[in-house]
Amino acid sequence: MADRIPLDGMLLPFAPILYIAWADGALSDDEIRAIRSHVDGDTSLSVELRAALQTWLDPTSPPDDAELRELLSAIHHAGDALGPDERTSLAALGKALARNARGDTPISGSRQKALDEALHALEDSLGVAGGEAARSLFGTEPAAAVVRTPASFDPAALHRFLDNDHWELRQRVLAVITSPEFKYLDKPTLPEYRQKVYEWLKRLADEGLGGLAFPEEFGGEDDGVQMIAVFEMLAFHDLSLMVKFGVHFGLFGGSVFLLGTRRHHEQYLSDIASLKLPGCFAMTETGHGSNVRDLQTTAVYDADTREFIIHTPTENARKDYIGNAAMHAQMAVVFAQLIVGGASHGVHAVLVPIRDADGNTMPGIRIQDCGLKEGLNGVDNGRIWFDAVRVPRENLLNRFADVSDGGTYTSPITNPTRRFFTTIGTLVAGRVSIASASVNAAKSGLTIAIRYTDRRRQFGAEGAEEQPVLDYLAVQRRLFPGLASTVAFDTAMKDLVRRFGERNEENAREIEALAAAMKALASTHALSTLAMCRQSCGGAGYMAENRLGTLITDTDVFTTFEGANDVLLQLVARGMLTEYREQFGDMNVWGAVRWVTRRAAATISDLNPVAPRRTDDEHLRDPDFHLDAFRYREDRLLQSLARRLRQRISDGQDSFDALNHVQDHALAAARAWGERYVLECFQASIRTVQEPRLRGVLDRLEALYALDRIDADRAWFLEAGFLETAKSKAVRDLVNGLCREVRPDAVAIVNGFGIPDSLLGAPIATA
């Protein structure tokens, strides 16, 4: 240990600098030597003072722990009474310590000036943030109560904006699922969980909520859109209940209603609506998931007995993952290859009893429980085998095809492909429902995460109070783009549900494509958003009681059922190519003019050399710029996809192989198509808002959604020349800026989702 000069009045002003220089071990020997050199060269200091400082700045003999404690004790002894304005820097703190130590003893102006300059010079040579360093010497201030900036809008206004369709019905559903009997179970066994979900389902049926899509004479209101609204609201509760509701009332009941005729309606719909006849939807097979057209289960007509023989010909043809099959279903809608007189007529739906009213398996039926799953364990998924099971001819759901007693097949739809897609049309409602539910699952996760991170405190400036986690940009970048996207998707789903309720032959194809795209995009969005919510909540987010883990595992399968997402996006891409061919098929002038006129704004942006370079805030926030960018990306991806396919086919490649080789391109085009639709719906919805404060927050969310999507795909926009480097950077900077702008309103926005605390079921969101 070197012989130190004591920390008397001469050295006391330098004590904070000396302590910081050594305390955290951050300075290298070279940096210490540089400071020593600076001290030696400062002739304004006395020789005695310079020598004293050098004893404390000897890199060969640094202060030990005891000496550092002595330094800190001297600082506290002299400076505990100092106010925050005297701790703004190490130099300011040193001067205040010297002043306190002198008391009434005067000091000459020249000596004071020399001391001030020396302190500032040494602080600069340390290269530290002096204010933080000075505060750190006195410890962290006690955490003050969180002072929140009032929200700029009324959350109730946002709630009305989002749920303006079927408001009374939505409130009716909430009243049911917030009742005491719908309280979440605490660590139930698998049988207990499944039974409780069934009891919840029965309560919904008793409330008349299950058969809303059915005609009034069978216990419904003849309104499929109301059915989707109920399904969507159930996503705020237990997702196993929501899925079981959808399987029984939507898929099973919907098939009987939409594919059956009067005789089926009269015999079954009332019992389905009341849950007297629990059912399941047996489409998926072990060997054929998304490829419904090539299912192997057969339904062979026996004209002698006027029966269909339902049979599982191979192990791969077993019906798999069938919801309600393992425990509760008494009847299944079975999709099978219809064979009449030795001729196959493709996939049709047949009603097949699988259990009696006492729960006993019917003859020729074998059922196996799928067991535990990653999530949704309140749904009893099972596998079904059929061993030459005979059912009456009348069990064929015959709205679009029938078989006479004598074995004559007829259909009002002569085209087999069109008949097939009409038959599986029940999936459209399912896809719309899953997309809507995905949005509400994301709302639940965001509400939990944003409320918690708004209260949870971590770190902060040295010596200052800890900051709410939600104040950190990294957390905002995790949560706020997802928040903006969730509101955007909500508006798109409301538009799609409205279109679904107005569907007819003219718009059916577009609605099917939108349903496929929205199911794929919304379910992917929900899963990624929930993952960000979980991570933002740290260890608390991993606790089962806070439901984020359950939301993630329960929504994971949304990307798979009702059609795997990549398969659905390929269907969307095929539809886009069909439209492109209709517009541009012969490449004539008038076709080109129609296409270019429809996309005029994006074309102008493409040709204008200024647009890719504009970085001003007004331009980047402009909704027209956002829509231009989305349309430009969609059109360019589609045109280049068409060119690549045409070239491959011209070179002799089979069309299937050609599409397979550009599959990534096709998926990108489909995503672009879907995201453009979401943006258009969001912008159109915002234009209907009259209340200025709500309009303001929605404008910020629209800009955040659009710019975040552009930022996420900025490599493509740069390659395509729609952005230049400076503009790409400006987009990223504005995304950060918008996150900061959204911060004061974040809690109010999630409160505007209108989710009751009992449904959140998360202590971290309601404490």
Side-chain angles (χ1 to χ4, degrees):
M1 180 186 298
D3 293 329
R4 315 285 188 205
I5 302 299
L7 286 166
D8 55 15
M10 177 179 64
L11 270 182
L12 185 60
F14 297 90
I17 293 174
L18 294 173
Y19 182 84
I20 294 298
W22 291 112
D24 62 4
L27 296 182
S28 67
D29 288 350
D30 286 343
E31 289 171 321
I32 291 291
R33 291 188 183 97
I35 297 173
R36 284 170 61 89
S37 177
H38 182 86
V39 170
D40 282 339
D42 191 346
T43 57
S44 67
L45 301 177
S46 68
V47 174
E48 182 184 11
L49 178 56
R50 279 182 280 167
L53 287 172
Q54 293 293 7
T55 66
W56 284 92
L57 291 169
D58 184 357
T60 65
S61 181
D64 59 22
D65 288 345
E67 290 177 298
L68 288 175
R69 286 195 298 272
E70 180 186 356
L71 266 176
L72 189 59
S73 176
I75 294 168
H76 281 180
H77 180 74
D80 273 343
L82 297 178
D85 58 332
E86 296 176 293
R87 303 176 189 173
T88 57
S89 68
L90 293 174
L93 177 59
K95 287 186 287 185
L97 293 176
R99 187 170 57 251
N100 279 5
R102 288 195 309 269
D104 296 330
T105 304
I107 183 174
S108 69
S110 59
R111 287 180 59 196
Q112 182 65 57
K113 181 179 179 182
L115 176 63
D116 291 352
E117 290 177 350
L119 287 171
H120 284 292
L122 278 177
E123 180 175 10
D124 290 343
S125 68
L126 280 178
V128 299
E132 292 183 17
R135 290 193 300 272
S136 72
L137 294 171
F138 292 90
T140 303
E141 299 290 341
V146 175
V147 178
R148 294 185 176 90
T149 302
S152 67
F153 72 103
D154 181 2
L158 178 61
H159 190 193
R160 277 285 185 177
F161 169 75
L162 295 175
D163 286 350
N164 58 354
D165 65 313
H166 302 103
W167 175 268
E168 291 76 14
L169 175 62
R170 293 176 186 277
Q171 298 308 304
R172 178 182 161 199
V173 175
L174 286 177
V176 174
I177 61 179
T178 54
S179 62
E181 67 187 274
F182 279 80
K183 182 180 179 181
Y184 295 123
L185 298 180
D186 183 23
K187 298 180 181 179
T189 64
L190 186 62
E192 288 172 341
Y193 190 13
R194 290 173 169 180
Q195 184 58 33
K196 176 55 71 174
V197 169
Y198 184 78
E199 292 171 4
W200 287 338
L201 187 68
K202 184 65 170 68
R203 170 69 190 281
L204 294 175
D206 293 343
E207 293 288 336
L209 296 172
L212 292 174
F214 303 159
E216 293 183 13
E217 61 184 304
F218 303 119
E221 297 185 17
D222 201 17
D223 191 340
V225 171
Q226 287 195 56
M227 187 78 162
I228 294 174
V230 174
F231 186 87
E232 179 184 336
M233 297 307 292
L234 292 179
F236 287 144
H237 188 255
D238 188 296
L239 292 175
S240 286
L241 172 62
M242 182 202 75
V243 170
K244 199 170 180 76
F245 179 95
V247 167
H248 173 73
F249 296 114
L251 293 176
F252 174 65
S255 295
V256 174
F257 177 45
L258 296 174
L259 300 181
T261 51
R262 183 72 185 182
R263 69 182 185 224
H264 304 109
H265 298 169
E266 291 178 346
Q267 186 171 357
Y268 299 113
L269 287 185
S270 294
D271 287 347
I272 293 172
S274 66
L275 201 58
K276 183 179 179 181
L277 177 65
C280 62
F281 185 81
M283 176 180 282
T284 300
E285 295 178 357
T286 303
H288 292 83
S290 297
N291 185 13
V292 178
R293 184 191 63 187
D294 292 329
L295 295 176
Q296 293 180 327
T297 301
T298 57
V300 180
Y301 184 64
D302 183 346
D304 294 335
T305 62
R306 294 188 297 179
E307 294 173 318
F308 286 102
I309 304 171
I310 314 301
H311 188 65
T312 304
T314 68
E315 190 65 17
N316 273 344
R318 70 182 182 183
K319 296 299 182 180
D320 215 341
Y321 318 121
I322 308 304
N324 288 359
M327 288 182 62
H328 297 127
Q330 296 176 16
M331 180 172 282
V333 172
V334 179
F335 287 80
Q337 300 289 345
L338 188 69
I339 300 173
V340 181
S344 177
H345 296 280
V347 173
H348 291 64
V350 183
L351 290 171
V352 181
I354 61 173
R355 287 188 180 87
D356 62 22
D358 296 324
N360 301 307
T361 304
M362 300 294 284
I365 302 292
R366 180 160 65 96
I367 300 175
Q368 181 184 77
D369 196 325
C370 289
L372 281 171
K373 307 182 294 292
E374 179 182 334
L376 297 176
N377 282 302
V379 181
D380 51 315
N381 292 84
R383 303 181 177 96
I384 311 174
W385 292 258
F386 304 94
D387 185 8
V389 177
R390 289 179 173 266
V391 298
R393 180 187 69 87
E394 290 78 13
N395 281 28
L396 175 69
L397 295 176
N398 63 334
R399 179 179 179 184
F400 301 113
D402 205 353
V403 177
S404 68
D405 286 351
T408 300
Y409 176 86
T410 57
S411 173
I413 305 174
T414 56
N415 184 295
T417 300
R418 184 182 169 202
R419 185 167 61 243
F420 166 73
F421 282 107
T422 302
T423 299
I424 65 170
T426 48
L427 293 177
V428 175
R431 288 167 183 168
V432 174
S433 298
I434 290 298
S436 295
S438 296
V439 174
N440 273 12
K443 288 180 184 177
S444 293
L446 286 163
T447 303
I448 294 168
I450 288 176
R451 284 186 180 178
Y452 176 66
T453 54
D454 181 60
R455 288 195 296 264
R456 171 68 165 157
R457 290 186 165 210
Q458 288 275 27
F459 308 110
E462 285 286 352
E465 65 185 55
E466 291 183 307
Q467 292 294 303
V469 173
L470 198 56
D471 285 351
Y472 292 105
L473 178 62
V475 177
Q476 294 172 6
R477 285 298 300 256
R478 278 181 182 162
L479 296 177
F480 292 170
L483 178 64
S485 295
T486 298
V487 177
F489 270 108
D490 190 280
T491 63
M493 289 314 307
K494 296 300 193 298
D495 179 79
L496 177 54
V497 169
R498 176 187 59 78
R499 294 189 188 204
F500 176 78
E502 300 170 354
R503 67 192 184 283
N504 52 48
E505 288 189 9
E506 293 182 359
N507 64 15
R509 190 172 71 177
E510 181 183 16
I511 290 172
E512 289 169 5
L514 286 171
M518 289 300 98
K519 186 269 177 182
L521 295 183
S523 60
T524 300
H525 160 72
L527 199 56
S528 62
T529 298
L530 290 169
M532 291 296 99
C533 291
R534 209 295 301 157
Q535 293 174 34
S536 298
C537 292
Y542 202 63
M543 300 301 294
E545 67 176 0
N546 291 318
R547 287 194 68 232
L548 288 172
T550 299
L551 285 168
I552 290 171
T553 55
D554 282 353
T555 57
D556 195 352
V557 76
F558 287 9
T559 63
T560 301
F561 62 38
E562 302 295 335
N565 284 356
D566 281 355
V567 174
L568 295 182
L569 290 174
Q570 287 180 79
L571 292 176
V572 173
R574 289 175 182 271
M576 295 171 67
L577 288 166
T578 299
E579 180 186 358
Y580 183 86
R581 186 176 63 221
E582 291 173 354
Q583 293 283 346
F584 256 130
D586 55 3
M587 297 300 289
N588 62 40
V589 173
W590 294 113
V593 168
R594 286 197 302 273
W595 186 272
V596 171
T597 300
R598 189 162 65 90
R599 300 300 200 184
T603 304
I604 292 170
S605 294
D606 181 26
L607 297 177
N608 183 354
V610 176
R613 300 172 187 159
R614 285 191 63 183
T615 60
D616 56 284
D617 200 67
E618 180 182 1
H619 168 66
L620 294 180
R621 291 175 183 263
D622 187 351
D624 289 340
F625 161 64
H626 305 156
L627 195 54
D628 279 359
F630 280 46
R631 285 177 170 172
Y632 175 85
R633 179 180 56 172
E634 175 191 347
D635 289 347
R636 181 149 177 168
L637 282 169
L638 179 57
Q639 292 171 28
S640 57
L641 174 62
R643 286 195 300 269
R644 291 182 67 189
L645 283 171
R646 179 181 299 163
Q647 184 61 55
R648 288 181 176 277
I649 294 172
S650 298
D651 291 343
Q653 195 169 33
D654 179 87
S655 60
F656 176 85
D657 290 335
L659 185 57
N660 188 41
H661 278 87
V662 296
Q663 195 172 49
D664 58 334
H665 195 150
L667 296 178
R671 291 189 195 98
W673 185 82
E675 288 186 352
R676 185 266 308 159
Y677 169 70
V678 171
L679 181 63
E680 285 185 335
C681 291
F682 198 10
Q683 292 182 350
S685 295
I686 293 173
R687 287 194 292 270
T688 68
V689 176
Q690 301 299 317
E691 205 280 305
R693 293 180 298 172
L694 178 59
R695 177 68 180 264
V697 74
L698 290 172
D699 283 341
R700 288 189 287 276
L701 291 175
E702 184 276 338
L704 181 54
Y705 167 71
L707 294 177
D708 174 69
R709 293 295 81 212
I710 294 172
D711 183 49
D713 211 6
R714 66 179 181 273
W716 185 90
F717 283 106
L718 284 164
E719 287 180 354
F722 190 84
L723 301 179
E724 289 193 355
T725 303
K727 188 166 188 173
S728 175
K729 293 178 180 178
V731 166
R732 183 174 63 245
D733 289 344
L734 186 50
V735 169
N736 289 343
L738 286 164
C739 284
R740 288 187 286 270
E741 291 179 25
V742 167
R743 168 63 180 102
D745 287 323
V747 173
I749 292 170
V750 296
N751 289 344
F753 294 157
I755 309 174
D757 286 354
S758 64
L759 297 186
L760 290 174
I764 60 172
T766 57

